[in-house]
């Protein structure tokens, strides 16, 4: 089962979150229409899914949190999306097969081949209040000294320090079985010279990726923080779920235009669209297309998004 554990250090200005995506992560991987992701891509995507759940749960945002990494490496785009109720999905787009994958999972080698890689964090409100807009923060995959940041955790720590002014320590790891993450954060109310966060962050930093993947939540928290007063809250249950629907594909086809859709059908017999997040297939034949455009007059224009 997928699980999110929330905890506080009693009396100290530090909070923590631990996520373990198991069943849902394996389903997400199995559903990829184009077959299994190469191991380094899978690791990156799993870390993004785990980080997305941690960040969404941490800020309790009523809407969609979108984590996107794009660049000029063998991975051109990777996306993880998490809703307020912790439904998540993720997908990665690879460059042409002729672009070789690196041996290591270093972020720079995977995404940031020539230094143009970026990580974008978007908050899209579910029901925007008047004046409320979509927020997007974009950070490079490099540190202040222009050195490539080796891991996604480094990029996101950098982002949270810059955008939220919150000291954060993240440990992320993923394989074909589990995507997991630990987040430790200094509470906003903390006195600047309070030494609780550095001490606890130091403990968190001793956690290896292997341990993060191998240990269950109870064992992990006990081993890491056995000298600290950890107060735990009821766990939450993230789950893999896609948001695609035939109606949205129809909207996308309408915005493509009748001529375009009919010419594809004339050539291929039908328009077939596969959801890149969950592998679901949507097929529109000539009759479906006819209905699409006859009905279009009575309906609001499509929003142009498949997913
Ligand atoms: Zn889907």
């Amino acid at each position: 089962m997928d699980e999110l554990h929330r905890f506080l250090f009693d009396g100290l200005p530090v909070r923590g979150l631990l996520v373990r995506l198991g069943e849902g992560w394996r389903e997400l991987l199995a559903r990829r229409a184009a077959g299994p992701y190469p191991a380094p891509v899978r690791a990156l995507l799993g870390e993004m899914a785990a980080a997305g759940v941690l960040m969404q749960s941490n800020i309790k945002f009523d809407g969609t949190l979108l984590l996107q990494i794009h660049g000029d490496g063998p991975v051109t785009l990777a996306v993880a999306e998490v809703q307020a109720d912790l439904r998540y999905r993720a997908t990665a787009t690879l460059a042409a097969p002729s672009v070789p994958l690196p041996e290591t999972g270093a972020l720079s080698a995977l995404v940031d081949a020539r230094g143009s890689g970026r990580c974008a964090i978007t908050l899209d409100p579910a029901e925007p209040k008047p004046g409320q807009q979509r927020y997007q923060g974009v950070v490079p995959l490099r540190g202040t000294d222009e050195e490539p940041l080796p891991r996604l955790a480094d990029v996101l720590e950098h982002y949270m320090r810059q955008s939220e002014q919150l000291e954060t320590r993240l440990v992320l790891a993923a394989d074909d079985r589990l995507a997991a993450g630990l987040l430790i954060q200094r509470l906003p109310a903390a006195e600047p010279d309070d030494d609780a966060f550095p001490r606890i962050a130091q403990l968190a930093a001793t956690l290896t990726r292997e341990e993060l993947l191998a240990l269950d939540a109870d064992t992990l928290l006990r081993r890491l923080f056995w000298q600290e007063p950890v107060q735990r809250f009821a766990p939450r249950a993230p789950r893999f779920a896609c948001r695609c629907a035939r109606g949205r594909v129809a909207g996308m086809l309408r915005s493509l235009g009748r001529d375009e859709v009919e010419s594809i059908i004339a050539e291929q017999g039908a328009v077939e669209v596969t959801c890149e997040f969950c592998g679901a297939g949507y097929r529109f034949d000539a009759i479906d297309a006819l209905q699409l455009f006859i009905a279009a007059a009575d309906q609001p224009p499509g929003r142009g998004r498949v997913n």
Side-chain angles (χ1 to χ4, degrees):
M1 209 185 85
D2 296 2
E3 45 193 77
L4 177 88
H5 301 271
R6 298 171 293 159
F7 51 97
L8 270 177
F9 293 87
D10 213 8
L12 302 174
V14 183
R15 66 178 157 207
L17 291 165
L18 173 67
V19 68
R20 290 166 56 84
L21 306 176
E23 202 178 317
W25 171 239
R26 292 190 290 274
E27 186 184 345
L28 184 156
L29 290 176
R31 279 179 172 242
R32 184 174 187 244
Y37 287 109
V41 181
R42 188 179 62 204
L44 172 65
L45 203 57
E47 291 189 7
M48 287 176 69
V53 172
L54 290 174
M55 291 168 80
Q56 170 62 281
S57 173
N58 194 35
I59 58 174
K60 300 187 183 71
F61 177 68
D62 184 17
T64 306
L65 182 143
L66 200 61
L67 204 54
Q68 284 167 297
I69 289 183
H70 56 91
D72 50 23
V75 176
T76 53
L77 178 68
V79 182
E81 190 192 89
V82 186
Q83 306 300 318
D85 61 3
L86 303 187
R87 276 174 298 147
Y88 65 92
R89 60 180 190 166
T91 184
T93 309
L94 307 189
S98 57
V99 180
L101 278 163
E103 296 284 320
T104 71
L107 195 56
S108 52
L110 266 180
V111 193
D112 198 26
R114 285 182 293 277
S116 72
R118 293 287 181 274
C119 175
I121 295 99
T122 309
L123 300 175
D124 211 351
E127 288 167 26
K129 299 178 186 75
Q132 190 183 16
Q133 287 179 350
R134 190 172 208 251
Y135 161 85
Q136 187 172 66
V138 181
V139 283
L141 304 179
R142 305 199 164 213
T144 37
D145 52 3
E146 282 301 305
E147 282 300 300
L149 295 169
R151 289 175 176 170
L152 176 67
D154 304 313
V155 174
L156 295 176
E157 283 178 6
H158 183 68
Y159 164 78
M160 283 190 262
R161 207 175 310 123
Q162 277 194 336
S163 75
E164 300 181 36
Q165 312 287 318
L166 290 175
E167 287 292 325
T168 308
R169 183 60 43 88
L170 267 172
V171 185
L172 301 167
D175 60 15
D176 58 351
R177 202 179 47 82
L178 199 71
L182 174 72
L183 178 150
I184 299 292
Q185 193 166 63
R186 189 200 286 264
L187 290 175
E191 295 290 325
D193 59 352
D194 190 286
D195 65 354
F197 177 78
R199 183 178 73 242
I200 291 167
Q202 188 63 43
L203 293 172
T206 64
L207 178 69
T208 66
R209 289 144 74 95
E210 290 72 26
E211 287 168 331
L212 179 57
L213 291 173
L215 301 178
D216 65 75
D218 294 350
T219 311
L220 191 151
L221 293 179
R222 212 171 40 237
R223 275 201 203 170
L224 268 185
F225 305 122
W226 62 278
Q227 282 183 311
E228 303 289 341
V230 175
Q231 185 196 347
R232 292 177 61 177
F233 299 94
R236 296 180 67 190
R239 64 190 172 88
F240 166 66
C242 198
R243 300 165 70 208
C244 67
R246 191 170 172 87
R248 289 194 183 198
V249 181
M252 192 263 307
L253 294 181
R254 273 191 212 106
S255 66
L256 207 59
R258 185 170 190 160
D259 292 349
E260 181 70 24
V261 169
E262 287 184 344
S263 91
I264 298 172
I265 291 174
E267 257 176 51
Q268 300 172 11
V271 181
E272 299 200 22
V273 177
T274 304
C275 175
E276 61 199 14
F277 285 94
C278 73
Y282 297 96
R283 188 173 193 278
F284 289 78
D285 63 16
I287 294 169
D288 296 326
L290 201 62
Q291 283 173 343
L292 209 59
F293 291 102
I294 289 173
D298 308 325
Q299 288 177 3
R303 290 173 57 203
R305 279 179 60 174
V306 188
N307 301 302

